[in-house]
C-alpha cells in the first residue's frame, strides 16, 4: 500500500513554499553564475544517455529539499511496492507490473499467488513464432500469398505506444512488410487506408485491453466487413485477424480464434502496455529481435530507477523538478521537444502516459487535493516548432519549461544537416536561459545597420527576457535500445510525481463520463430518439444536426 500522506503537510513543502517567492525574483543567469561546477554537477548519466539539467530553474538547496521531500513521501518504498507487484492501483484493485514485461529475471513474481514470469515468457515466445511465420510467408493468405500489410486497430494505450515506436524506428525494418495504425472512430482514418490496400495482403491486429472500446470495435467490424465483401471466405478470417487483449470471451464473441489471441493481463495499464503483446505490430514491422532490444533498453531504465541514488536518478530528478515547477513556480504546461523527426509521435505518447496518469484532483485518501497536479504536456519536433510556437516560448507571457531530446548520431546523414539540427537545439536552450538584453539588442541592430531611430523604436520588441528553463536529454543514437530506455525513463518520472502528489496514477476514471453520455446521444443520432438526452444544449445541437443532415 502506498502512503496516503499529503505532501503539502511536510516540512520540505513548507520550506519550498517559503523559498519560492524569493527564488522567482532571481534570474536563471544569476543562479547559475553563483554555482561553480554546475554544468558538471547538474548532469546525470545512464549507459551513455546524458540528462543535462544545468539550465533547470533550481539551485542546489532546492534540489536537496525536493529529494528530501521524495523520501519523506516514501518514494523508495513505493518504487519497491510497484516492482514487487503489490496492488498499488487500489481503485482498480490491481498490481502495476509493466516493469515485469521487460525484465529477464527468473525469480518468481506473484500476483494473487500466481507466478506471472512463465506467462510473460510464453506470450513473448508466441509473439516471436507468429511474427516469424508471417515474415517468412509460412502464415499465408487464403489466396496462398504472403501477408505484407499489418493494420493495428486500437486506441489510446493500444495505439500510441506502438505507433510512436514504429514511426521512430521504421527505418530499422528488415522486411517489406508495412504497418499502419488506425485509431479514430472517424471513418476518415480507416476508409482511405482500406481503399489503397489489397485484402489478401492484410493482417489486422485488433488491439484492445478490454475488447469493448467503442472506436476499436467499430473499426474492427468495419475491417471484417470489408474483408468479407472483398473475397475473404469466412473460414479464412483466422489468417487475417488476430487479437491482443485481456478479454478472451469478447475476443471469441468477435469471431477470433483463441489460437490467434495474444494475451496480456489486468496488471498492465493500457498506457503502459507497449511492452506487452500490444507490441505485436512491432515484432511484425521491425522484427522480434528489435522488440527485444526495446525491452532491454527499458529494463536498464528500470534497474537505474530502482537502484540509483536519488541525486543521480534521472526519473527522480525529472519528476521532482516537475513538482517544483508545477507547485511552487506555477508553470502550467511542459513542452517535450525532440530534435529528431523520428520522434514525431513521442509527445503524443507522453500526453496520454502523463496526463491520463496524473491529471487528478483526489488524494489516495479520497480527499480533494489542495495543490495542482499534472501540467499540460505537449510538443512537436524541432526544428519545425521553431517556426511555429517558439515565438510564444521566447516572448510569451507564460514560462514553459522544456525538455530537449537530441541524438548524437543521425539516423540519416545528409550533408551537414544533423549538425544544423543539433546546433539549433543547443542554441534554443541558450536563448531560453540567457535571453537578450536591451543593450545586446541595440548592438545587434547596429551591426545590421539599422538607423538610430529604428533602433529606438524596435528595441522593446527585440528584447528577450530569457530566464526560461530547459533540460537536454542526449542519446547516442535512436535505436530500439535507447528508445526503450528513453520511454521508460519518462514512465518512471510520471510514477515519481504520482507518488509525491498522493494520487493513484494507474486508474483513469476521468475518461468514463464522456463515454457514458455518448450512448444516449448516439441513440438520438441513429434512431432519432431524443428521449434519453436530458441536456438542453446537447438537444439543441442534435436538432441542428438533424435539420442539416441530408435525408
Ligand atoms: O478511454 C481511455 C482508455 O481506457 C485508455 O486508458 C486505454 O489505453 C484506451 O482507452 C484503450 O482501451 P482498450 O485497450 O481497452 O481498448
Amino acid at each position: 500500500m502506498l502512503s496516503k500522506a499529503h505532501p503539502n503537510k511536510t516540512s520540505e513543502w513548507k520550506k519550498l513554499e517559503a523559498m519560492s517567492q524569493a527564488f522567482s525574483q532571481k534570474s536563471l543567469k544569476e543562479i547559475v553564475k553563483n554555482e561553480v561546477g554546475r554544468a558538471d554537477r547538474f548532469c546525470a548519466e545512464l549507459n551513455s544517455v546524458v540528462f543535462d539539467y544545468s539550465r533547470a530553474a533550481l539551485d542546489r538547496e532546492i534540489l536537496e529539499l525536493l529529494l528530501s521531500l521524495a523520501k519523506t513521501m516514501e518514494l523508495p518504498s513505493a518504487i519497491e511496492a510497484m516492482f514487487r507487484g503489490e496492488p498499488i492501483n487500489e481503485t482498480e484493485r490491481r498490481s502495476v507490473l509493466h516493469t515485469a514485461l521487460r525484465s529477464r529475471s527468473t525469480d518468481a513474481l506473484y500476483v494473487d499467488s500466481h507466478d506471472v514470469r512463465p506467462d510473460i515468457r510464453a506470450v513473448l515466445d508466441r509473439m516471436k513464432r507468429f511474427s516469424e511465420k508471417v515474415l517468412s510467408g509460412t502464415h499465408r493468405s487464403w489466396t496462398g500469398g504472403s501477408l505484407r500489410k499489418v493494420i493495428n486497430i486500437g486506441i489510446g494505450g493500444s495505439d500510441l505506444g506502438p505507433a510512436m515506436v514504429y514511426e521512430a524506428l521504421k527505418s530499422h525494418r528488415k522486411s517489406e512488410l508495412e504497418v499502419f495504425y488506425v485509431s479514430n472512430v472517424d471513418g476518415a482514418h480507416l476508409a482511405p487506408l482500406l481503399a489503397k490496400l489489397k485484402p489478401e495482403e492484410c493482417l489486422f491486429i485488433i488491439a484492445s485491453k478490454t475488447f469493448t472500446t467503442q472506436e476499436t470495435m467499430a473499426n474492427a467490424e468495419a475491417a471484417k466487413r470489408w474483408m468479407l465483401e472483398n473475397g475473404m471466405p469466412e473460414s479464412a478470417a483466422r489468417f487475417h485477424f488476430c487479437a491482443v487483449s485481456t478479454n478472451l470471451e469478447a475476443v471469441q464473441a468477435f469471431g477470433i480464434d483463441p489460437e490467434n489471441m495474444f494475451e496480456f493481463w489486468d496488471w498492465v495499464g493500457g498506457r503502459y502496455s507497449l511492452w506487452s503483446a500490444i507490441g505485436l505490430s512491432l515484432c511484425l514491422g521491425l522484427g522480434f529481435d528489435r522488440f527485444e532490444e526495446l525491452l532491454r533498453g527499458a529494463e536498464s531504465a528500470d534497474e537505474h530507477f530502482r537502484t540509483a541514488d536519488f541525486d543521480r536518478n534521472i526519473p527522480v530528478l525529472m519528476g521532482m523538478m516537475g513538482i517544483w515547477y508545477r507547485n511552487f513556480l506555477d508553470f502550467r504546461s511542459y513542452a517535450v521537444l525532440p530534435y529528431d523527426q523520428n520522434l514525431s509521435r513521442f509527445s503524443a505518447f507522453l500526453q496520454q502516459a502523463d496526463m491520463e496518469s496524473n491529471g487528478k484532483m483526489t488524494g489516495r485518501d479520497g480527499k480533494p487535493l489542495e495543490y495542482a497536479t499534472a501540467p499540460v504536456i505537449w510538443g512537436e519536433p524541432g526544428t519545425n516548432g521553431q517556426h511555429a510556437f517558439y515565438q510564444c516560448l521566447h516572448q510569451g507571457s507564460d514560462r514553459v519549461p522544456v525538455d530537449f531530446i537530441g541524438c548524437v548520431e543521425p539516423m540519416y546523414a545528409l550533408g551537414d544537416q544533423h549538425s544544423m539540427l543539433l546546433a539549433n537545439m543547443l542554441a534554443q536552450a541558450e536563448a531560453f536561459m540567457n535571453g537578450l538584453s536591451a543593450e545586446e539588442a541595440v548592438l545587434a541592430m547596429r551591426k545590421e545597420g539599422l538607423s538610430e531611430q529604428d533602433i529606438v523604436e524596435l528595441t522593446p520588441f527585440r528584447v528577450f527576457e530569457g530566464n526560461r528553463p530547459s533540460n537536454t536529454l542526449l542519446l547516442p543514437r535512436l535505436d530500439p535500445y535507447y528508445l526503450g530506455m528513453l520511454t521508460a525513463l519518462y514512465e518512471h518520472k510520471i510514477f515519481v510525481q504520482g507518488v509525491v502528489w498522493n494520487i493513484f496514477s494507474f486508474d483513469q476514471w476521468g475518461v468514463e463520463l464522456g463515454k457514458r453520455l455518448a450512448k444516449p446521444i448516439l441513440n438520438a443520432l441513429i434512431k432519432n430518439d431524443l428521449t434519453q438526452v436530458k441536456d438542453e444544449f446537447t438537444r439543441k445541437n442534435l436538432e441542428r444536426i438533424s435539420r442539416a443532415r441530408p435525408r
Side-chain angles (χ1 to χ4, degrees), residues 178-477:
E178 262 185 295
V179 185
F180 303 91
Y181 292 87
V182 173
S183 52
N184 203 325
V185 75
D186 184 347
H189 208 171
L190 180 63
L193 173 66
L194 294 182
K196 64 176 189 189
L197 297 177
K198 294 189 187 117
E200 65 276 15
E201 287 188 348
C202 291
L203 172 66
F204 290 91
I205 302 176
I206 314 303
S208 174
K209 181 174 170 180
T210 55
F211 231 71
T212 56
T213 303
Q214 185 192 52
E215 294 91 330
T216 301
M217 298 328 295
N219 277 324
E221 293 287 357
K224 196 166 164 194
R225 262 196 322 272
W226 177 78
M227 289 292 280
L228 290 168
E229 283 163 11
N230 286 280
M232 179 189 76
E234 185 92 49
S235 59
R238 66 200 169 94
F239 301 120
H240 294 271
F241 283 85
C242 58
V244 178
S245 187
T246 60
N247 187 346
L248 174 63
E249 260 176 47
V251 167
Q252 280 179 301
F254 179 82
I256 292 179
D257 192 327
E259 282 287 300
N260 286 350
M261 169 171 162
F262 296 84
E263 187 190 9
F264 66 114
W265 308 273
D266 67 5
W267 41 263
V268 182
R271 51 194 172 275
Y272 298 88
S273 62
L274 157 65
W275 324 97
S276 71
I278 287 290
L280 182 64
S281 59
L282 299 172
C283 302
L284 290 156
L286 308 174
F288 184 79
D289 49 348
R290 296 285 190 237
F291 183 64
E292 273 203 314
E293 286 166 34
L294 185 86
L295 300 183
R296 293 298 70 84
E299 185 184 30
S300 70
D302 294 343
E303 186 61 20
H304 168 79
F305 182 49
R306 198 173 184 178
T307 57
D309 290 341
F310 278 7
D311 59 359
R312 52 178 199 87
N313 191 315
I314 298 173
V316 173
L317 292 165
M318 288 169 113
M320 295 314 295
M321 188 185 302
I323 285 177
W324 168 243
Y325 288 170
R326 185 71 186 100
N327 299 113
F328 302 95
L329 301 187
D330 196 29
F331 295 162
R332 291 160 187 230
S333 90
Y334 201 107
V336 179
L337 308 174
Y339 272 64
D340 193 314
Q341 187 57 31
N342 302 298
L343 288 175
S344 60
R345 298 291 291 152
F346 192 65
S347 310
F349 165 79
L350 278 188
Q351 269 177 342
Q352 187 204 14
D354 199 314
M355 293 160 79
E356 199 168 80
S357 296
N358 287 344
K360 291 160 192 172
M361 280 304 286
T362 306
R364 290 193 287 265
D365 57 359
K367 303 227 167 74
L369 300 180
E370 294 160 345
Y371 45 85
T373 59
V376 174
I377 304 290
W378 60 285
E380 278 291 318
T383 59
N384 290 358
Q386 291 177 205
H387 301 273
F389 51 80
Y390 276 42
Q391 163 63 42
C392 179
L393 294 183
H394 283 291
Q395 291 185 315
S397 51
D398 280 342
R399 285 165 75 199
V400 181
V402 164
D403 281 353
F404 292 111
I405 301 171
C407 297
V408 176
E409 270 176 48
M411 202 180 276
Y412 298 94
L414 204 58
D416 284 335
Q417 287 185 215
H418 193 66
S419 296
M420 291 178 198
L421 183 71
L422 291 182
N424 272 286
M425 179 181 82
L426 297 173
Q428 290 296 330
E430 215 177 289
F432 281 139
M433 183 174 99
N434 297 334
L436 190 78
S437 67
E439 296 73 39
E440 290 166 324
V442 167
L443 277 179
M445 283 188 278
R446 290 220 171 100
K447 264 201 182 153
E448 285 172 39
L450 265 65
S451 72
E452 283 307 308
Q453 191 186 338
D454 277 355
I455 290 175
V456 171
E457 278 173 22
L458 291 176
T459 300
F461 303 99
R462 296 193 55 164
V463 165
F464 290 61
E465 68 165 23
N467 204 20
R468 292 163 193 244
S470 67
N471 298 321
T472 303
L473 267 152
L474 269 182
L475 274 52
R477 64 192 154 275

Side-chain angles (χ1 to χ4, degrees), residues 3-119:
S3 137
K4 295 188 172 26
H6 288 253
N8 57 340
K9 307 289 179 239
T10 62
S11 65
E12 289 90 345
W13 189 282
K14 289 182 178 139
K15 280 188 205 152
L16 287 163
E17 217 158 37
M19 289 164 75
S20 61
Q21 222 185 346
F23 187 90
S24 310
Q25 311 300 320
K26 291 192 227 164
S27 80
L28 250 173
K29 268 205 288 192
E30 256 175 85
I31 297 160
V32 167
K33 205 166 59 201
N34 294 333
E35 287 197 5
V36 184
R38 180 169 164 125
D40 289 322
R41 212 176 15 248
F42 276 34
C43 186
E45 273 194 53
L46 169 61
N47 298 349
S48 308
V49 168
V50 177
F51 174 58
D52 163 24
Y53 58 105
S54 54
R55 296 183 196 273
L58 41 74
D59 59 20
R60 227 169 348 146
E61 199 184 354
I62 287 174
L63 185 61
E64 273 162 25
L65 271 173
L66 286 167
L67 298 183
S68 165
L69 172 65
K71 289 189 180 138
T72 305
M73 291 307 292
E74 300 181 20
L75 180 60
S77 59
I79 295 173
E80 276 314 300
M82 173 172 70
F83 278 92
R84 275 201 310 265
E86 286 178 28
I88 58 169
N89 176 0
E90 283 181 42
T91 59
E92 295 182 334
R93 322 268 185 262
R94 290 174 183 165
S95 304
V96 174
L97 274 176
H98 47 282
T99 52
L101 300 168
R102 49 216 195 191
S103 161
R104 277 169 298 178
S105 165
T106 49
D107 297 349
L109 181 60
Y110 293 103
V111 174
D112 295 334
S113 317
H114 174 79
D115 180 7
V116 297
R117 301 263 197 223
D119 300 349

